[in-house]
Amino acid sequence: MTADPAVPARAGRKEWTALGVLMLPLLLVSMDVSVLYFATPAISADLHPSGTQQLWIFDVYSFVLAGLLMTMGSLGDRIGRRRLLLLGAALFGGASAVAAYAPNAEALIAARALLGIGGATLMPSTMALVRTMFRDAGQRARAIGLWSGVMTAGVALGSVMSGLLVQYFWWGSVFLVNLPAMALLLVFGPLLLPESKSANPGRFDLVSVPLSMAAVLPLVYGLKEIPSHGWRVQYVAAVVAGLACAAAFVRRQRTLPSPMISPALFRSRGFGPAVALNLVSSFGMMGSAIFTTQYLQSVLGMSALEAALWALLPSVPIGLAAPMATVLVQRGVERAYVVAAGFALAAGGYLLLIPMGRHSLWLIMAACGVLASGIVMVMSQMTDLALGAAPVEQAGAASSLLETGAEFGGALGMAGLGSIGAAVYRNHLPAGTPPAARETLGGALAVARQLPGRTGDALGAAARAAFTSGLHAAATAAAILLALAALVAARTLRGLPVRPVAEEVPAADLEIRVPS
């Protein structure tokens, strides 16, 4: 491949059509995070997994995805982003078919792990290809706004789609919906997507692969388990081990002639703050989810499908947030202030949760809409800033680092805010509450159903009130953190230019082949 001077500085109809093709894998990868939400009872009845196997069916996808993002982003920069995308699409489609017809729990766990590998190839490849196709800064910002909106919508749609499919078909259908989209990508990807890779990638360091996974997997595992089971020794040890491996990984990257993640990325003005602030925004998004879903189901008494359908309502303002942020920046409003406003808006969403009582459906819907809109404004701008600041030949590594940071942020949000809520919940329960009821609201309601008459009703009411108090405390902490992030963003991002990518990329550093 050679750098093609015919690559247009501004994207045309072909590039925007190609963006639509890229949205297919992005939507499905984000949906697969939550697609088993309603399928679990049917899977349990059919495959009879043990408790441990059921947890792995749920979690192995996100663990493998998080562990391999950096590896796959760097690999795409070396072998070609389109090639890796198409290989990932084939793997994702094949693993979906295996998962749909899995004869036992072990096969389903293996298929979910393969889906995680496929997802890890798709996510950084799509973002890196957006960086390659949209060389004009304004067009790239609009494309990334759409990318962010689809990513956010996919998580919400996954649970609803699984509920509808399981209701009318069988649990395997939640995986088969992936096949048509992946087939379309395999057909139209070679026709519409350019191939691009670094012209001088250097040697791929195999030692960095297991070292990066040893850094990411224990951290994500420990942080996700702490909210549910508390600060047990094994989870704290996992976090400490992950941090130690992360330190070793960073040290190795600083000494290698061709690192997987180049330290030079952080010397680009804006890249480091973009990764850090994107992590904080993911903290805010996932930290709220752990409470709002429980509130809808356990406090308001909705069924899981009813709660998921209500959770779609905040998606209406979310769809407008990223394009609005892009328009403001393009009309001359400094990005620092737009991002600060997004954080402030998200903090305001958390503040709306503080006066919420036990019958506040519309208030929690408004809070979720305001919160998520602010977060999406931040995420879209931070993604655009990180990709614009990174050299285009390292777009895959840059996007994978951004996504890995988001995974950490989500896990930290669930662990940190979940721990605050759990501590307040236990503290507000009356003396003499059974131990099983002191762990979680779900456990308390299960105990209450086994108690006679008014005793059970009283325990259920006390547990719901205690949970709401825990939600208030967590919301207060999150609002303070996001308000501080707004101040940091206003200070660190001030004065960053918005430059056309075409002016930033030396042709010698990037190999591009445009489909004829």
Side-chain angles (χ1 to χ4, degrees):
M1 294 190 299
T2 57
D4 192 337
V7 178
R10 287 184 58 83
R13 182 180 300 175
K14 185 175 185 178
E15 286 75 21
W16 288 105
T17 304
L19 179 65
V21 173
L22 284 179
M23 293 302 179
L24 294 173
L26 177 65
L27 180 66
L28 293 173
V29 169
S30 58
M31 283 174 55
D32 258 47
V33 173
S34 57
V35 78
L36 291 186
Y37 193 79
F38 296 108
T40 300
I43 292 173
S44 297
D46 191 14
L47 302 184
H48 308 291
S50 66
T52 301
Q53 288 175 328
Q54 183 168 301
L55 289 175
W56 277 109
I57 289 171
F58 252 99
D59 292 337
V60 69
Y61 174 79
S62 58
F63 287 162
V64 173
L65 178 71
L68 286 175
L69 278 171
M70 287 191 289
T71 296
M72 294 304 180
S74 179
L75 186 62
D77 289 342
R78 286 167 163 80
I79 70 170
R81 289 79 179 253
R82 185 182 69 182
R83 178 183 298 175
L84 186 65
L85 180 75
L86 297 179
L87 289 172
L91 177 59
F92 202 86
S96 297
V98 173
Y101 296 102
N104 50 53
E106 292 83 356
L108 183 55
I109 292 170
R112 289 279 288 170
L114 290 175
L115 283 168
I117 297 173
T121 68
L122 296 173
M123 292 180 70
S125 296
T126 57
M127 196 183 292
L129 284 167
V130 168
R131 174 73 158 90
T132 302
M133 293 189 301
F134 296 92
R135 302 173 67 189
D136 175 78
Q139 289 186 318
R140 185 187 70 238
R142 289 194 293 273
I144 289 175
L146 292 172
W147 191 96
S148 301
V150 169
M151 186 72 181
T152 305
V155 178
L157 286 173
S159 58
V160 176
M161 179 172 286
S162 71
L164 295 174
L165 289 172
V166 171
Q167 182 173 346
Y168 294 106
F169 300 98
W170 97 107
W171 63 264
S173 61
V174 303
F175 297 107
L176 291 183
V177 294
N178 297 334
L179 299 183
M182 292 302 155
L184 288 173
L185 178 59
L186 290 170
V187 171
F188 291 105
L191 301 176
L192 296 171
L193 299 174
E195 180 61 287
S196 62
K197 66 176 182 178
S198 175
N200 302 292
R203 182 180 178 183
F204 188 73
D205 181 46
L206 294 177
V207 176
S208 293
V209 175
L211 195 56
S212 67
M213 294 185 70
V216 174
L217 292 179
L219 269 173
V220 174
Y221 169 72
L223 292 173
K224 283 191 173 184
E225 292 300 318
I226 286 170
S228 301
H229 305 290
W231 295 84
R232 297 182 180 178
V233 174
Q234 62 266 38
Y235 305 135
V236 175
V239 172
V240 172
L243 290 174
C245 291
F249 177 78
V250 171
R251 180 180 177 85
R252 185 170 182 83
Q253 301 312 296
R254 296 179 66 179
T255 59
L256 288 174
S258 301
M260 178 187 293
I261 302 294
S262 174
L265 282 172
F266 290 91
R267 291 196 287 269
S268 299
R269 190 184 175 203
F271 183 81
V275 173
L277 291 172
N278 192 63
L279 185 152
V280 174
S281 65
S282 185
F283 179 104
M285 179 70 83
M286 296 305 297
S288 68
I290 193 174
F291 291 101
T292 53
T293 54
Q294 289 187 73
Y295 181 87
L296 292 176
Q297 294 181 69
S298 298
V299 177
L300 297 183
M302 294 183 180
S303 67
L305 181 57
E306 185 181 6
L309 290 171
W310 273 102
L312 288 177
L313 188 61
S315 300
V316 177
I318 292 172
L320 302 175
M324 181 182 69
T326 300
V327 169
L328 289 174
V329 172
Q330 291 180 348
R331 290 188 176 180
V333 179
E334 189 155 358
R335 194 198 305 265
Y337 301 134
V338 173
V339 174
F343 275 124
L345 192 64
Y350 270 112
L351 290 176
L352 286 176
L353 294 175
I354 294 175
M356 193 174 67
R358 289 177 49 197
H359 305 284
S360 304
L361 173 61
W362 289 104
L363 183 58
I364 196 172
M365 289 295 102
C368 288
V370 171
L371 191 160
S373 296
I375 292 296
V376 170
M377 287 177 63
V378 174
M379 285 184 165
S380 63
Q381 290 303 306
M382 292 303 90
T383 302
D384 182 41
L385 176 59
L387 291 185
V392 71
E393 68 273 11
Q394 297 180 30
S399 59
S400 67
L401 196 59
L402 198 68
E403 290 296 329
T404 303
E407 291 286 334
F408 280 139
L412 281 169
M414 295 176 69
L417 298 184
S419 297
I420 292 173
V424 174
Y425 166 79
R426 288 191 289 268
N427 188 58
H428 279 68
L429 287 173
T433 299
R438 301 188 68 86
E439 294 298 322
T440 64
L441 175 58
L445 296 179
V447 172
R449 285 191 291 268
Q450 298 173 2
L451 296 176
R454 293 183 178 178
T455 304
D457 293 341
L459 176 59
R464 291 185 178 94
F467 175 83
T468 305
S469 297
L471 189 155
H472 296 162
T476 302
I480 293 171
L481 175 66
L482 293 176
L484 291 174
L487 296 176
V488 171
R491 181 176 179 84
T492 59
L493 303 181
R494 189 179 302 163
L496 291 179
V498 179
R499 296 177 297 173
V501 175
E503 297 176 5
E504 302 172 1
V505 183
D509 292 338
L510 183 70
E511 294 183 357
I512 302 176
R513 183 173 61 209
V514 180
S516 58

